[in-house]
Amino acid sequence: MNFLQCFRLALKSIWSSKVRSLLTMLGIIIGVSAVITIVGLGNGMELYMADQFASLGTTTLTVSISGRGSSRSISDDEMYALVEENPAVLDAVTPTVSVMGEAKVGRDSLSASITGVGEDYLDIRGYTVAQGRGIQYTDILNREQVCVVGSYVAWEYFGGAAVGETVRISGTPYTVVGVLSEISDSTDESGSDNLVLIPYTNAAKMSFMGSISSYTFNAADEDSVTAAKAAIESALYEFYQDDSAYTVVAMSEMLDTMNQMIDILVTVLAGIAAISLVVGGVGIMNIMLVSVSERTREIGIRKSLGARQRDILFQFVIEAGVTSAIGGILGILFGYLLSAAATAVIATAMQVDMTVAPTAGSILMAFGISVAIGVVFGYLPARKAARLNPIDALHYD
């Protein structure tokens, strides 16, 4: 008996007991769809995180300086000199100073984040200016009272025409000299477009800071991030002689760490979901044992007509494999539906633009495992059928 004949007999047997076969496949369907959806969710999270970190810049490094009681304080000029001394691995640097003061437009208070930055901040972050100009070196040197606003601030408070208007920060009037292009969503108050940038020298004076404690560096390219981090850490250690006086964090390293955490979580969840595949395999074994009992006379007739043990074994193993394969196909279709539903729920309920995207690898893996489970769990009933005595089988009632 060849494979095609066994395949046809398997389909005939499955079709003759449709409801029972569907219930048998249920564990396989649930397991395959769960694995596909969970792996797709993990893949979607990784893509989403990559997009988010890309907006921050995968070549950026954030430096936080605490000093740890040191009487020495590294200056912004020394940090700029560090870039000039390492042109092969470092491209630019900008101090970043958060301002806690209140910002107003007329009588309206702004909820925007106010940050003091250097002239290279926009290039490092990958922002572009839609109107006017950015913060310039002369603004920083002379502590000019100028600012650049995000697109949300421009549209919400100035109707889009913000250049030349005034924003009061801690009671001091700042003239808007530039408006940034949309970063994420110009209509979202909590988004990245709700910001005000001023010269960092003004921000440091406003915050009564004796020295600046936060810097953002940009590596020459993605391949230089590790070397850039080493250069910064070496210079800071030479200055402070204490590696606890500063922290250097590379965005690319943070992304790698996040992806590793996501991979571990997805692996654990997929492993738990795969338990239902084993349950499905037990269901297939159970129903195949019932099928062998029901078809004992059929087996006896086949053996009396010359069927060998391996023919009977092959027939029932193929039937178990086909049952689990059909369950796997239905599980793949159901997994795609679950993934689409999860994408819609995430977008609607969480307001996150993340796609739950099943991968070809996860689909092939889940399908392959489902077929393998069917064959493995179908072997014992098939072996029992193959070993039946034809005389006893013919007399079975």
Side-chain angles (χ1 to χ4, degrees):
M1 185 179 291
N2 59 34
F3 175 81
L4 186 58
Q5 289 175 314
C6 289
F7 182 74
R8 287 174 178 171
L9 287 171
L11 290 178
K12 183 178 179 181
S13 176
I14 292 169
W15 186 254
S16 64
S17 305
K18 294 184 285 295
V19 175
R20 188 174 73 177
S21 298
L22 182 61
L23 293 174
T24 303
M25 299 172 192
L26 197 57
I28 298 294
I29 293 171
I30 294 172
V32 170
S33 59
V35 170
I36 288 174
T37 305
I38 290 171
V39 174
L41 181 62
N43 186 51
M45 289 174 65
E46 288 187 358
L47 292 175
Y48 177 75
M49 292 300 299
D51 289 340
Q52 294 301 305
F53 274 86
S55 65
L56 298 175
T58 53
T59 58
T60 59
L61 303 97
T62 302
V63 178
S64 300
I65 299 174
S66 60
R68 294 290 183 184
S70 173
S71 58
R72 302 180 64 193
S73 297
I74 195 165
S75 67
D76 53 334
D77 288 336
E78 289 172 301
M79 297 299 259
Y80 276 104
L82 178 59
V83 175
E84 295 176 359
E85 293 166 3
N86 298 273
V89 295
L90 290 172
D91 179 58
V93 64
T94 176
T96 52
V97 182
S98 296
V99 178
M100 302 303 295
E102 184 182 31
K104 286 188 173 183
V105 174
R107 294 183 178 180
D108 296 328
S109 295
L110 273 68
S111 59
S113 62
I114 307 168
T115 308
V117 299
E119 67 273 19
D120 293 319
Y121 180 80
L122 299 186
D123 291 334
I124 292 174
R125 295 297 299 271
Y127 296 163
T128 57
V129 179
Q131 302 172 28
R133 64 175 179 84
I135 302 296
Q136 298 177 347
Y137 175 72
T138 54
D139 299 328
I140 296 167
L141 185 64
N142 300 322
R143 291 181 179 170
E144 298 287 349
Q145 294 172 357
V146 296
C147 67
V148 175
V149 300
S151 58
Y152 173 83
V153 177
W155 284 103
E156 183 70 17
Y157 297 95
F158 303 107
V163 176
E165 299 294 336
T166 301
V167 176
R168 299 185 70 85
I169 302 175
S170 296
T172 303
Y174 279 74
T175 302
V176 178
V177 295
V179 177
L180 298 179
S181 300
E182 185 178 67
I183 300 168
S184 57
D185 186 356
S186 297
T187 62
D188 186 6
E189 183 179 4
S190 61
S192 303
D193 294 288
N194 189 14
L195 80 165
V196 176
L197 305 178
I198 64 175
Y200 74 85
T201 47
N202 297 47
K205 182 179 180 181
M206 197 179 301
S207 302
F208 303 102
M209 297 178 63
S211 60
I212 298 169
S213 60
S214 180
Y215 294 86
T216 301
F217 284 82
N218 193 43
D221 51 55
E222 291 187 3
D223 296 331
S224 304
V225 172
T226 303
K229 182 180 180 181
I232 296 169
E233 289 177 333
S234 176
L236 291 175
Y237 183 80
E238 184 178 349
F239 185 87
Y240 287 105
Q241 296 296 309
D242 182 2
D243 56 11
S244 64
Y246 54 85
T247 303
V248 183
V249 178
M251 289 299 169
S252 58
E253 293 180 351
M254 290 181 64
L255 177 59
D256 291 340
T257 301
M258 290 296 295
N259 285 339
Q260 288 175 4
M261 292 174 63
I262 291 171
D263 289 341
I264 293 172
L265 179 62
V266 168
T267 300
V268 172
L269 292 177
I272 294 172
I275 293 174
S276 60
L277 288 173
V278 178
V279 175
V282 173
I284 288 175
M285 182 171 64
N286 181 53
I287 206 65
M288 290 304 297
L289 286 170
V290 173
S291 180
V292 168
S293 297
E294 291 178 345
R295 295 159 65 184
T296 301
R297 286 181 63 83
E298 176 191 330
I299 296 168
I301 292 170
R302 289 184 182 279
K303 282 199 166 188
S304 66
L305 292 175
R308 294 165 296 182
Q309 281 194 10
R310 65 181 183 181
D311 293 327
I312 303 298
L313 178 68
F314 191 56
Q315 176 188 344
F316 280 90
V317 167
I318 291 298
E319 186 172 324
V322 170
T323 301
S324 61
I326 294 175
I329 292 170
L330 293 175
I332 290 170
L333 296 175
F334 191 53
Y336 267 101
L337 291 176
L338 280 178
S339 298
T343 300
V345 169
I346 291 170
T348 304
M350 302 176 63
Q351 300 293 315
V352 174
D353 185 17
M354 187 183 81
T355 302
V356 179
T359 61
S362 66
I363 293 171
L364 291 174
M365 178 187 70
F367 180 73
I369 291 174
S370 69
V371 174
I373 283 177
V375 171
V376 170
F377 281 86
Y379 178 77
L380 182 61
R383 185 167 173 266
K384 178 183 177 182
R387 289 189 171 186
L388 284 174
N389 187 298
I391 298 175
D392 294 336
L394 286 170
H395 285 87
Y396 183 82
D397 188 3

